[in-house]
Amino acid sequence: MRESQFALEEEFRGEGLTARIVDISSDPSNPSNVCLDLYQTAAQDAFSNAARYGSQPEPF
C-alpha cells in the first residue's frame, strides 16, 4: 500500500513539473529557461519512480 501511495505522489509531482516546463518553455524571457534541463530531468525521474512503484494490471 505504501508503494502505491508513493507512486501516486510521484505521478502528481511529474505532472506538476511537466506543467511548469510548459510554462517556462512558452515564455522565452522566463529566467527559469536556464534550468529547463533540470526540470525535465526531475520530471523524468518522477515518472520513472511512479512506473517503478505503481501496480501493474495482471495479464489475462
Side-chain angles (χ1 to χ4, degrees), residues 1-35:
M1 183 67 170
R2 178 82 177 125
E3 289 180 350
S4 62
Q5 179 62 35
F6 176 69
L8 288 173
E9 290 171 3
E10 286 296 275
E11 185 174 348
F12 182 73
R13 182 173 75 99
E15 290 171 357
L17 286 164
T18 300
R20 181 72 177 130
I21 290 166
V22 170
D23 288 343
I24 293 168
S25 299
S26 66
D27 179 10
S29 66
N30 189 319
S32 293
N33 271 306
V34 297
C35 299

